[in-house]
Amino acid sequence: NMKLGFIGTGEITKAVVIGILGSKIKFKKIYLSKRNSKISTYLKKKSKKIQIEKNNQHLINKSDWVFLAITPKVGNQIIEKLHFKKKQTIVSFISTIHLPRLKKLTKNNKNIVRAIPLPPISLRKGPVPIFPPNKKVKKFFSHLGTVIEINNEKKSLNFWSTSGMMAPFYELLNTLSKWLIFKGVKKNNAQSYITSLFIALSESAYSHSNKDLSILVKNSQTPGGLNEQAVRSLRKLKFYSSTDKTLNEILKRLKKQIKCEKFLKTLK
């Protein structure tokens, strides 16, 4: 029965804790840092096993596993001032602090894993990329979603980049719903139709994820049909190649952030 500690209580901590509470993960206590009192108070009401800690060091001392759910800026400021236990498992959700830097900040802790949980983890759905591969951490997150083990840290940036496509996906659903509403469909009906259509398409794609996804593109079109027209039109408008372009821009930004942090360290 583990004791889990979360440093930082933003939306991701909220999603992960809600996921844990609804899962089969056995835990004795969850310690939350007080930082965002609105979220920590909200979560505390959900379980007697959740406790709010004012002091990050006390939280670490009490925990078997510590989750770092803070921004890179805060991480660089506070982690090296904290003392972690040698046997402690540390799971970092911080996007741009890479493993060698984390090891240095935590005074060479051997059990550090970087993970990229996304908001649907609250429903125990969605991918959780982890680096480096780790049996215990994989088992833990497999209760909360689909674990993808990464062997190369540079590749984790590619996963971070694609996670930037959540809001654009929701904006697509929003655009389609609004179009239906504009055509006179009731808002509830429009949103219900679009979201259920896309959940069905996503589940169908997920069940085919071991096959080439272009087969789905091909099979959902009939010659001279609506889907054929839509794909052709969107390709012509560079809808898909602009998605590629956007991903490359996000990746570039992440790489730049890491370079910048490396440079700042040399000044210290």
Side-chain angles (χ1 to χ4, degrees):
N1 264 4
M2 300 187 297
K3 293 173 188 169
L4 311 169
F6 287 81
I7 293 179
T9 42
E11 289 300 325
I12 277 298
T13 291
K14 182 180 167 184
V16 173
V17 171
I18 289 169
I20 292 169
L21 294 177
S23 76
K24 289 178 178 161
I25 293 170
K26 289 185 171 69
F27 68 93
K28 203 171 183 178
K29 279 272 184 197
I30 289 179
Y31 300 107
L32 300 173
S33 59
K34 199 176 183 241
R35 195 171 167 81
N36 184 323
S37 54
K38 193 181 168 193
I39 291 176
S40 51
T41 315
Y42 166 81
L43 291 171
K44 193 180 187 299
K45 286 177 187 163
K46 292 205 166 289
S47 168
K48 286 188 171 75
K49 291 181 180 179
I50 293 177
Q51 200 172 307
I52 298 168
E53 284 291 328
K54 286 177 188 169
N55 183 302
N56 283 332
Q57 189 57 57
H58 290 172
L59 182 149
I60 292 168
N61 297 346
K62 291 177 178 182
S63 304
D64 303 308
W65 286 33
V66 177
F67 297 83
L68 304 173
I70 40 188
T71 62
K73 192 183 171 190
V74 174
N76 276 308
Q77 284 166 357
I78 73 165
I79 298 171
E80 58 189 335
K81 293 177 186 137
L82 298 166
H83 298 282
F84 297 88
K85 293 178 265 188
K86 280 278 174 259
K87 291 271 171 79
Q88 216 159 23
T89 297
I90 300 171
V91 181
S92 170
F93 298 158
I94 307 168
S95 58
T96 57
I97 302 185
H98 53 319
L99 202 66
R101 172 85 175 137
L102 282 168
K103 281 186 174 165
K104 200 178 168 190
L105 290 173
T106 57
K107 328 266 187 308
N108 230 357
N109 185 292
K110 299 283 184 283
N111 302 315
I112 306 178
V113 176
R114 294 183 62 196
I116 311 174
L118 302 169
I121 200 166
S122 63
L123 306 168
R124 303 185 304 287
K125 284 181 188 288
V128 186
I130 66 167
F131 168 82
N134 178 302
K135 264 189 190 154
K136 278 196 302 186
V137 176
K138 183 183 183 180
K139 194 182 171 196
F140 178 87
F141 281 113
S142 64
H143 290 287
L144 302 172
T146 309
V147 180
I148 291 141
E149 292 187 295
I150 306 169
N151 289 309
N152 174 327
E153 188 162 28
K154 277 187 180 146
K155 287 196 182 123
S156 70
L157 285 186
N158 301 327
F159 286 98
W160 273 111
S161 302
T162 52
S163 75
M165 297 310 281
M166 291 189 294
F169 171 72
Y170 289 134
E171 182 60 7
L172 176 63
L173 302 187
N174 190 23
T175 304
L176 294 168
S177 300
K178 279 182 170 169
W179 185 86
L180 282 177
I181 295 161
F182 185 71
K183 297 293 176 200
V185 178
K186 280 185 182 153
K187 189 178 180 177
N188 282 357
N189 284 349
Q191 294 195 162
S192 193
Y193 176 82
I194 294 300
T195 52
S196 70
L197 170 64
F198 275 78
I199 204 166
L201 294 173
S202 295
E203 283 190 359
S204 172
Y206 181 63
S207 69
H208 288 87
S209 61
N210 57 345
K211 299 191 185 102
D212 195 315
L213 292 177
S214 61
I215 295 165
L216 292 176
V217 182
K218 192 176 163 227
N219 290 350
S220 55
Q221 296 175 62
T222 49
L226 307 178
N227 280 278
E228 186 189 69
Q229 181 188 340
V231 168
R232 191 186 294 145
S233 172
L234 286 170
R235 277 187 184 140
K236 211 172 171 181
L237 291 163
K238 297 196 164 31
F239 183 79
Y240 303 105
S241 55
S242 60
T243 302
D244 266 355
K245 197 180 161 198
T246 301
L247 286 170
N248 287 328
E249 283 165 5
I250 295 171
L251 181 61
K252 207 169 154 185
R253 177 186 162 186
L254 287 171
K255 283 180 175 171
K256 200 174 166 187
Q257 255 173 293
I258 283 181
K259 261 189 190 159
C260 197
E261 279 180 16
K262 280 183 181 171
F263 174 67
L264 289 172
K265 288 196 298 285
T266 60
L267 298 178
K268 279 185 181 178

